[in-house]
Structure formats: C-alpha cells, structure tokens
Amino acid sequence: GTLTDPAAIPIDDARTYEMFTAGKTSGLFQFESDGMRDILKRFKPDRLDHLTALNALYRPGPMQMIDDFIKRRHGQTRVVYEHPALEPILKETYGVMVYQEQVMQIASALAGFTLGEADILRKAMGKKKAEVMAAQMDKFLKGCATRSVNDKKARKVWDHMEQFAGYGFNKSHSAAYAWLAYQTAYLKANHAAYFL
C-alpha cells in the first residue's frame, strides 16, 4: 500500500493540498516558517509545480517577486510574454522566471544557444563577472537577430534574465525538496500517527 511505498502516494491528494492552503505545515520540510505559511494561505497551491515554485521563490533574492506571483496565479495581474517562444517555457510559473533551467531554455529558444552554451551563460550570470556578461549579452543579441527576434524585445528579455540571474534557483533541486515535503504532508494529512 501507499505507506510502504513512497512512490505510490497519489500526487493530487486534495486533503494534502487543503493542509498546505490552510498553512498547517508545522513539521514539514521547507514549508514550516511563518512567512511561508502566510504565502501558502494566499497562494493556495493545488499541484506539485506550485510547491516547487514557492520553494524556489521563498529565499532572500526572489522573495520580492512573491506578491506578483500570487496575483498572477489568481488572475489579478495579467500574464504577458515578451515573445511567443517564452510561453511554453514560462507558462507553469505564470510568466515569471523562477528557475535556472528556464534561463537556459530561453537562451536556446530565442538565441539558438546549445544547452552547453546556455549552461556557460547560467554560470556567468550567477558569478556576475562584467566582462563575461558583456560577451554573453553580445552573443545572445546576435543569436536573437539571426532568428529574427526584434532587438528591443531581445534586450528586454536579456534584462529580465540578468535581473533574475542573481537569485535563480535550480528547478531539479527545488522539485526534489517539494516532493519530499509533499510526501510528508500526505502522511500528516492522511496518516497522522505514522507521520508523528
């Protein structure tokens, strides 16, 4: 049954998400601080992607984006994409760059970077070395131009990427955290004695 095999826990358990939404997350890895409980109540997560994104955003740098993220989730702020190619990459995070992997995908989709080149860009953004970044920006804008992406839009996307890069989080890391938190939350919501 579900208790002996963590992989068999259903990923869409309503009681588990109700518990997150109510902020009843005491004892749950990564989700028990007062600030996070407040965000859970306002955001109302109902899928693993939500927990993954909130986990990535609830840190010193990107925390300033959380209010906007909540508004986008509830349709109070319109989600717009600078370029149609960005929609499949940013749709799950309501048009907000949350993960390093998204920056890599954007460089690939808009400027034709290989994933290896996109990884060099990701590292450069994290380190904030001015001369490396200038070369990367030049390469990105040239790549966009050859793929007929309007220069003004390309620069706007670059500015977003650069702004974001200081606090971009690794999605694979955040997803592993969210899954662990969800599994323990499932036990807490459905099998409290086992959880305790």
Side-chain angles (χ1 to χ4, degrees):
T2 44
L3 292 179
T4 53
D5 180 10
I9 288 175
I11 203 161
D12 56 358
D13 182 62
R15 286 173 73 163
T16 304
Y17 286 109
E18 279 160 21
M19 200 173 70
F20 275 112
T21 293
K24 293 182 178 164
T25 51
S26 173
L28 299 184
F29 178 60
Q30 298 281 314
F31 287 91
E32 54 181 342
S33 71
D34 290 341
M36 181 56 105
R37 286 178 199 208
D38 173 59
I39 286 159
L40 288 167
K41 287 178 197 166
R42 288 163 50 216
F43 187 84
K44 303 186 186 337
D46 61 16
R47 55 182 193 261
L48 204 59
D49 282 347
H50 289 160
L51 300 178
T52 304
L54 291 176
N55 188 43
L57 289 169
Y58 192 71
R59 288 170 305 111
M63 223 178 236
Q64 63 194 21
M65 292 155 52
I66 290 179
D67 282 337
D68 181 47
F69 195 69
I70 291 170
K71 285 183 180 139
R72 288 167 181 245
R73 148 98 166 118
H74 297 302
Q76 295 153 341
T77 295
R78 212 159 70 91
V79 177
V80 286
Y81 302 96
E82 284 303 321
H83 187 278
L86 298 184
E87 187 169 350
I89 299 169
L90 298 177
K91 195 178 170 92
E92 71 164 287
T93 50
Y94 306 100
V96 178
M97 286 181 211
V98 175
Y99 308 117
Q100 291 174 358
E101 288 90 335
Q102 288 172 317
V103 165
M104 292 171 66
Q105 288 172 302
I106 289 166
S108 171
L110 250 55
F113 279 45
T114 66
L115 288 179
E117 290 169 331
D119 195 44
I120 291 166
L121 169 67
R122 176 191 66 79
K123 286 186 187 130
M125 285 185 152
K127 294 198 172 71
K128 287 187 167 37
K129 289 187 177 157
E131 68 284 358
V132 181
M133 283 301 284
Q136 287 288 333
M137 180 174 108
D138 190 51
K139 185 176 174 176
F140 179 81
L141 294 174
K142 281 187 176 135
C144 284
T146 62
R147 296 164 88 89
S148 54
V149 176
N150 166 316
D151 185 64
K152 200 174 159 196
K153 281 197 168 168
R155 284 176 190 275
K156 207 168 171 185
V157 172
W158 175 265
D159 288 344
H160 281 307
M161 284 163 67
E162 206 173 15
Q163 203 185 349
F164 157 87
Y167 45 67
F169 204 61
N170 183 301
K171 183 181 183 184
S172 52
H173 188 104
S174 198
Y177 275 12
W179 177 228
L180 182 60
Y182 176 84
Q183 288 173 313
T184 49
Y186 175 85
L187 286 179
K188 186 177 179 183
N190 295 282
H191 306 281
Y194 284 94
F195 171 76
L196 293 169

